[in-house]
Amino acid sequence: MFSHFLTTVRLCASQTPWGPRPFSTTSVLEAGYKMKSHKGAKKRWRSAPGLNSFKRGQAFRSHLNASKSPARLNRLGNTAYSTPAQTHKLRKVLLPYGSG
């Protein structure tokens, strides 16, 4: 009765029932799992123009500001940029399969 549901069609790794995939997934299939981007870093960092660095907001600015000096509060209000070492690590964490 339901025999047509039990028949399966074997497809090549780069094929789907709707045609070829627009990207290569052979490394994903060989590894057996997908790499995921780091959600915490994704929420904190934004790419600066050209993807040469990343930027984020400073921490410790949201509350308990009465005990902080005005100069410190102004400094904490500025944008923080990633160092070259952080940029290298963030590219691997945020873009595990590359930018393309």
Side-chain angles (χ1 to χ4, degrees), residues 4 17 25-26 34 36 39 45 48 54-55 57 74 78 87 90 93 96-97:
H4 61 282
T25 59
T26 54
K34 284 186 180 180
K36 296 182 180 180
K39 299 297 183 180
W45 294 91
F54 293 88
K55 62 181 183 176
N74 284 336
N78 292 334
T87 302
L90 284 168
V93 167
Y97 291 108

Side-chain angles (χ1 to χ4, degrees), residues 72-94:
R72 182 178 174 190
L73 290 173
N74 284 336
R75 193 171 55 246
L76 291 174
N78 292 334
T79 303
Y81 292 93
S82 62
T83 63
Q86 284 176 324
T87 302
H88 178 72
K89 187 172 182 180
L90 284 168
R91 279 192 187 146
K92 290 169 68 174
V93 167
L94 293 174

Side-chain angles (χ1 to χ4, degrees), residues 6 9 12 14 16 25 29 32 34 38 53 61-62 67-68 72 75 80-81 89 92 96 98 100:
L6 299 177
V9 177
C12 178
S14 64
T16 63
T25 59
L29 292 174
K34 284 186 180 180
H38 194 285
S53 65
R61 179 71 166 91
S62 59
S67 62
K68 297 171 187 161
R72 182 178 174 190
R75 193 171 55 246
Y81 292 93
K89 187 172 182 180
K92 290 169 68 174

